[in-house]
Amino acid sequence: QVQLQESGPGLLKPSETLSLTCTVSGDTISSYYWSWIRQPPGKALEWIGYIDYSGSSNYNPSLRSRITMSVDTSKNQFSLNLRSVTAADTAMYFCARENIYGVEGWFDPWGRGTLVTVSS
Amino acid sequence: QSVLTQPPSVSGAPGQRVTISCTGGGSNIGAGYDVHWYQQLPGTAPKLLIYDNYNRPSGVPDRFSGSKSGTSASLAITGLQAEDEADYYCQSYDSSLSGSVFGGGTKLTVL
């Protein structure tokens, strides 16, 4: 059974860099695509981007200038860096496996999520 | 403002049938891209409910069904149960954004 677990700091100050890691168990990260999705409190889901085992990535255009994703196949982990955070980046951050066929796909399974708060 | 439009809320009594709509446009659902649905119970991560418009993953009851036509898709839930009370999200691919897009979510209340 595939499981994903997010980890990283829960509190950041404005202008800092958000760094999260997702550890995958029960599957090799060398298959599929691996995504980040966020959900501000009381709001809808927003796709952040995905990366594959080779480092090939695709980011949401609205966040592209601030995002870097990376993958560590030796640890079966992938990571998200979001630079210059503001209060608008406060959200629950989920990692998920993206089952892509062609260009489109669905997300399953998901991690339990980690809450990141940006506040001075 | 979400790219895919869902009603903010729907409700129904136990045993009844409800539907949740998801309306897109020519760069996503209308372009032929598939629609997927997720159920998010309070305080938990979203869970895949329907993929590729009408397919149910193993373990999802057949009370949940999906359909798609033109620029819209629908999720139907029959035989409503109290445990179905949750937020539901649709998701598709958008060629203008070159990535996945979600609906704004629909809160289902079981009366």
Side-chain angles (χ1 to χ4, degrees):
Chain A
Q1 183 182 358
V2 183
Q3 292 186 314
L4 293 83
Q5 177 68 58
E6 304 87 350
S7 59
L11 181 62
L12 293 171
K13 291 181 167 50
S15 81
E16 292 185 332
T17 295
L18 179 160
S19 295
L20 297 176
T21 295
C22 183
T23 301
V24 179
S25 58
D27 192 8
T28 172
I29 206 166
S30 298
S31 304
Y32 298 100
Y33 292 80
W34 304 92
S35 295
W36 290 98
I37 297 151
R38 70 180 183 178
Q39 184 174 36
K43 296 189 177 180
L45 300 164
E46 178 183 32
W47 173 73
I48 297 172
Y50 69 66
I51 191 167
D52 75 3
Y53 73 98
S54 71
S56 175
S57 59
N58 184 27
Y59 303 150
N60 187 320
S62 68
L63 298 168
R64 185 172 292 148
S65 63
R66 297 194 290 135
I67 292 178
T68 303
M69 291 187 185
S70 59
V71 62
D72 187 336
T73 55
S74 67
K75 295 181 179 179
N76 231 34
Q77 294 176 335
F78 62 104
S79 298
L80 167 69
N81 275 8
L82 178 64
R83 297 176 290 279
S84 304
V85 298
T86 69
D89 295 309
T90 293
M92 186 72 80
Y93 285 76
F94 299 98
C95 58
R97 186 178 71 183
E98 187 165 358
N99 303 269
I100 291 181
Y101 295 92
V103 294
E104 56 181 323
W106 64 89
F107 302 99
D108 180 59
W110 297 57
R112 299 176 76 170
T114 186
L115 179 62
V116 176
T117 302
V118 180
S119 174
S120 56
Chain B
Q1 205 93 357
S2 300
V3 173
L4 304 179
T5 301
Q6 297 180 234
S9 63
V10 297
S11 63
Q16 285 190 332
R17 177 181 187 270
V18 296
T19 61
I20 299 172
S21 62
C22 174
T23 302
S27 59
N28 42 70
I29 300 175
Y33 295 110
D34 293 325
V35 179
H36 322 289
W37 292 91
Y38 302 87
Q39 177 192 59
Q40 186 175 31
L41 297 170
T44 70
K47 167 194 162 187
L48 181 67
L49 205 59
I50 297 287
Y51 67 96
D52 286 352
N53 306 314
Y54 52 79
N55 294 298
R56 282 186 309 276
S58 174
V60 174
D62 60 7
R63 301 187 296 105
F64 296 90
S65 62
S67 63
K68 175 190 154 186
S69 178
T71 58
S72 294
S74 288
L75 173 71
I77 310 172
T78 58
L80 263 184
Q81 299 179 4
E83 66 203 51
D84 298 332
E85 194 159 282
D87 293 326
Y88 293 83
Y89 292 90
C90 61
Q91 175 243 324
S92 187
Y93 176 86
D94 190 283
S95 58
S96 297
L97 301 176
S98 297
S100 291
V101 289
F102 287 94
T106 298
K107 182 175 182 60
L108 169 62
T109 300
V110 181
L111 302 171

